[in-house]
Amino acid sequence: MLKLGVNIDHVATVREARYRGMGHGEPDPVAAALICEAAGAQGITAHLREDRRHIQDRDVWRLREVIQTRLNLEMANTPEMVGIALKLKPDIICIVPEHRLEVTTEGGLDVVAAEAALTETCKKMHAAGIEVSLFIGPDAGQIEASARTGAQFIELHTGQFAEKFTAAELAAPTPGIELQRLVEAAKLAHSLGLQVNAGHGLNYENLPALFAVPHLVELNIGHSIVSRAITDGLGAAVKEMLNLMAGYPQ
Ligand code: PXP
């Protein structure tokens, strides 16, 4: 069965928009993680960024304490993050490139260029019982290099697929070019013994098209789920506030 890891970064983004630097506030990404688990999600993903723009250190420690499924810590391959991961002991880390000016993770890792450093991190994580996934574009060279690092997983970057997706693709007799790249990448990764996850930009419209990609283990999805929760929950939230205001004594 295809597993779902819910990325809760955007819950923290909303909290930080109002409560930055306060050490508390709503919505709480840890409470959100528990709701995701109760709804059946098989994992929780949180990206602790160098600039701490959404998820904070206290969030990942509380997540480690309370979640019952798998904790996937997304992180850059920096000494600071490697140190945190080795202490935190998430079930798995997903190494991503990180650039200060990007809105979200915009491209895949260049594993070819960073092979030695990534191999070193894989060794440290494996010695601590932590699995490693590398977030990469659907590129044969990157997949081959990923296999050489000793990582158990790759996460295929589905951003290009999601960006170019049109509803017509669902009915098309053959997959479009971006989908075909993911299909070929998944086949190659599987043949090299890598387990294949995927994520970025997946939503309720484009997801069915991804069924053409073989060997998928887990999808990491954040934005579309948090967006859907806001629109689906907004009516109830407004009604609750109006009920409270109805108590005004005039
Ligand atoms: N996987 C990785 C490695 C990511 O960096 C992100 C974005 O934070 C996601 C999955 C989830 O992407 P989205 O929020 O578009 O669903």
Side-chain angles (χ1 to χ4, degrees):
M1 190 181 65
L2 187 55
K3 294 181 192 156
L4 171 64
V6 181
N7 181 315
I8 53 163
D9 295 350
H10 292 303
V11 178
T13 300
V14 176
R15 178 192 61 194
E16 296 302 301
R18 170 55 61 92
Y19 294 97
R20 173 160 288 285
M22 294 193 195
H24 65 92
E26 63 178 9
D28 178 9
V30 180
L34 293 175
I35 293 169
C36 296
E37 283 191 328
Q42 288 94 349
I44 299 298
T45 296
H47 184 175
L48 186 65
R49 293 185 74 107
E50 185 198 5
D51 63 11
R52 308 302 199 266
R53 69 174 67 160
H54 39 52
I55 293 290
Q56 305 296 308
D57 296 64
R58 68 178 191 279
D59 296 324
V60 295
W61 287 101
R62 284 173 56 227
L63 284 169
R64 179 64 297 178
E65 268 171 41
V66 304
I67 70 165
Q68 304 288 318
T69 58
R70 276 163 65 82
L71 176 61
N72 173 21
L73 179 70
E74 253 185 54
M75 52 175 254
N77 190 29
T78 61
E80 182 201 14
M81 288 301 154
V82 168
I84 290 172
L86 290 172
K87 284 196 206 110
L88 181 72
K89 294 207 187 326
D91 299 276
I92 182 166
I93 60 165
C94 180
I95 304 182
V96 299
E98 211 175 278
H99 309 290
R100 270 179 181 266
L101 295 180
E102 69 192 357
V103 177
T104 177
T105 315
E106 275 161 14
L109 272 177
D110 189 349
V111 184
V112 175
E115 193 177 321
L118 290 166
T119 303
E120 193 55 35
T121 298
C122 284
K123 274 195 200 125
K124 287 183 188 158
M125 295 300 154
H126 295 162
I130 302 166
E131 291 184 309
V132 178
S133 176
L134 304 177
F135 186 52
I136 58 171
D139 174 276
Q142 299 296 342
I143 294 165
E144 284 156 6
S146 297
R148 291 193 297 269
T149 65
Q152 293 100 328
F153 287 82
I154 55 164
E155 179 170 327
L156 288 173
H157 194 315
T158 50
Q160 290 294 326
F161 154 75
E163 217 167 277
K164 308 236 164 81
F165 175 82
T166 61
E169 197 155 345
L170 288 174
T174 52
I177 179 91
E178 293 301 335
L179 193 53
Q180 194 55 43
R181 289 181 71 203
L182 292 168
V183 169
E184 295 308 325
K187 284 183 186 163
L188 174 62
H190 180 73
S191 75
L192 295 172
L194 289 160
Q195 300 195 64
V196 185
N197 296 338
H200 201 96
L202 299 177
N203 61 33
Y204 297 86
E205 283 72 45
N206 62 30
L207 186 92
L210 207 69
F211 290 0
V213 180
H215 311 302
L216 291 174
V217 176
E218 181 173 289
L219 302 180
N220 283 307
I221 306 180
H223 188 268
S224 62
I225 292 177
V226 174
S227 305
R228 180 64 62 98
I230 291 174
T231 47
D232 281 8
L234 200 52
V238 169
K239 281 187 188 142
E240 193 178 334
M241 188 58 79
L242 284 171
N243 278 341
L244 205 55
M245 288 165 65
Y248 183 60
Q250 271 181 39

